[in-house]
Amino acid sequence: MAKTHAEEQDRQQYGVLLYYKYTEIPDLNGLVAFYESNCNSLGLLGRVRLSPQGVNVTVGGELSLLEKHIAAVMSNILFEGTDFKLATCDHPLNDKVAKECGFTALSIRVVKDLVTLSSQPLLKSPEISNAGTHLSAVDFHSALQSAGKLLKKESPADPEGLVLLDARNLYETRIGKFHAPNVETLDPGIRQYSDLSSWIDDNSEQLKGKSVLMYCTGGIRCEMASAYIRSKGAGFENVFQLFGGIQRYLEQFPDGGFFKGKNFVFDHRISVGSLDASVISTCLLCGSAFDDYSSRCRCTHCRMLVLVCVSCRQKEKSLYVCELCQKHGKGFGSVPLIENGETQAVSSEELKTVLSDTELLRQVPWSLDNQPRRKIKILCLHGFRQNASSFKGRTASLAKKLKTFVELVFVDAPHELPYIYQPCFTESHGDCTSPSLERTQPPPSENCKKKYGWLVAPDFNGRSEADWKIADCPFDPLQYQQQTDGFEASLAYLKTVFSQEGPFDGILGFSQGAAMAAALVSAQEGRLKGEMDFRFVILCSGFALKLPELECKRINCPSLHIFGSDHGKDRQIANQASRDLTSLFDDGCRVIIEHDCGHIIPTRSPYIDEIRNFLQRFL
């Protein structure tokens, strides 16, 4: 019996081919004719972009026919040394995605630039011959593993450090990115590649004097961007790029290596993961772990792809506002509303009617006609030997930078602590022939504000009548390990706080307060379920308590971890203690910010931008 066309297709393996080549094209029209003839004869579908400087190709078809295409291209000396990335995959099944990605037809176009580095027409493109040094996937991995030692050997100058720069767009980095210990990672958070040059200009001080290690999906965007960085001259020479991009890296390290999440691709596959199935991104609306762009949900304003989970998409007439539009405070005038696949103009008044439903209103973080909406409400837990007032003062900069959409609520811990002081000595020249030492007295207690703790030492019996206590020894950075009692009293106290001042959207803890907050999150999934519900937790310079609640399965709550990048930067809580705390939380819903600012919550860029990005998911 003769096989049907579908059966014949199933028998043939399908694949996707990606490659680019920067080279001077002497006969552009002749190359156009070659691609039209070859691709059409082989039945290849996808995108072919040609310019006087080279080619950029993404096509799909039967695997054997793609191999024939590669052989035909390689016969042209212009393509010598081209990296052909051929991957086996399923046939396009999602017609919507296949059409949007250009996999339902063959498109061959002549363009000015293979990739557009800047939207400013007067900005001259850098010389591609000045692009950064290529590193193989193995060398790239080794550089991250040794925190830059490999690059220092190869660099013409001695760099001050290593930074890892992601040259991709925000929606790509949200579902997958590199993360390596002791390596500062820069995510520009751009909407489109043409915004990258402006970001480089604005953040050049973060790159100057460093070894800049760059990566993108397949490598082509790094070629132009690395050349642009190097064009800035002295201090910008040490630029390196991952040859073959993330795709080649995942082929070399199928378990993911230092790459976490999925690699976003511009074909019907949407994304490609490693053997590690961890989800690092979350739904724009509810904050649950989610990384599937197949629904093609887009921002109402800028049309950038956004992640919206299945349950949130089931809401009628949903309006999505990406985190970049939220960051820049875009309000609603006349905006497009997507309904049944069609775009309709919606006026401000009509929008108010559409948003009368409370759940829909939660999706729109900014005001309508300047009418304020409820802010995210966060309960803040101070550190050991602090109080609500002092912690409010220490976080004043954070509150100011988040004031448009966040309300911080501060409370004192329940355990009042005695005042302590380090005795100092002064010389006395009385009637004695030689000087003697006299102990100075502590200041009057009425001039001091009360101090509190969430956890106390086992021998703690409450604040004594003596007011002052002499410190047993100079500051001990490991003192937090001795404060193991008082959890149940603090838990009962916070239940009252929640019932009287709640509800709270999230909880923020600093140092010992972070340890307490982490224990609350874990208990929320168990014995506190329904009593103290919140949607996220922020843990700053935290550590893990030795409690039964923290010895169970991983905590599945969206979490932001902020702590010093290495031991010594934070004198109170070591880097490893905070890192151990992060390991208690599910990989798919945690975000980590490491900084070099000591025992504080940093509020300068880029840290404040990452904090905003995390919080805006819960608007």
Side-chain angles (χ1 to χ4, degrees), residues 27-45:
D27 181 8
L28 193 56
N29 291 332
L31 195 60
V32 171
F34 162 78
Y35 275 100
E36 287 177 343
S37 173
N38 181 271
C39 293
N40 281 314
S41 66
L42 298 175
L44 305 184
L45 304 177

Side-chain angles (χ1 to χ4, degrees), residues 278-428:
S278 299
V279 178
I280 71 167
S281 50
T282 58
C283 171
L284 175 72
L285 303 184
C286 69
S288 61
F290 188 74
D291 66 357
D292 185 5
Y293 279 117
S294 61
S295 64
R296 313 311 277 182
C297 293
R298 293 184 178 276
C299 174
T300 302
H301 289 290
C302 69
R303 309 303 297 151
M304 185 174 74
L305 285 171
V306 293
L307 290 165
V308 183
C309 69
V310 177
S311 60
C312 288
R313 289 200 308 272
Q314 291 175 347
K315 299 179 176 69
E316 295 182 3
K317 298 183 179 180
S318 293
L319 294 162
Y320 310 128
V321 182
C322 75
E323 56 194 273
L324 288 181
C325 286
Q326 294 176 19
K327 177 181 177 180
H328 296 295
K330 274 197 173 178
F332 291 87
S334 179
V335 298
L337 175 66
I338 310 303
E339 186 175 10
N340 299 324
E342 298 182 358
T343 302
Q344 305 173 7
V346 181
S347 69
S348 181
E349 288 303 314
E350 292 171 325
L351 190 59
K352 288 181 181 179
T353 302
V354 172
L355 297 178
S356 58
D357 183 274
T358 303
E359 287 301 307
L360 287 177
L361 189 58
R362 288 180 57 249
Q363 300 175 30
V364 186
W366 304 103
S367 62
L368 298 176
D369 294 345
N370 297 320
Q371 294 299 312
R373 54 148 296 172
R374 189 181 74 83
K375 296 180 179 181
I376 296 175
K377 191 175 181 180
I378 303 176
L379 177 64
C380 300
L381 309 184
H382 59 72
F384 184 70
R385 202 166 289 284
Q386 293 182 347
N387 54 49
S389 177
S390 64
F391 190 42
K392 184 176 182 180
R394 294 187 65 176
T395 57
S397 176
L398 178 70
K400 182 177 180 180
K401 293 183 177 182
L402 301 177
K403 65 180 181 179
T404 57
F405 67 101
V406 170
E407 176 190 358
L408 301 180
V409 178
F410 300 85
V411 294
D412 291 321
H415 302 289
E416 185 177 349
L417 305 174
Y419 299 120
I420 64 170
Y421 74 103
Q422 294 282 352
C424 61
F425 300 88
T426 59
E427 292 186 353
S428 175

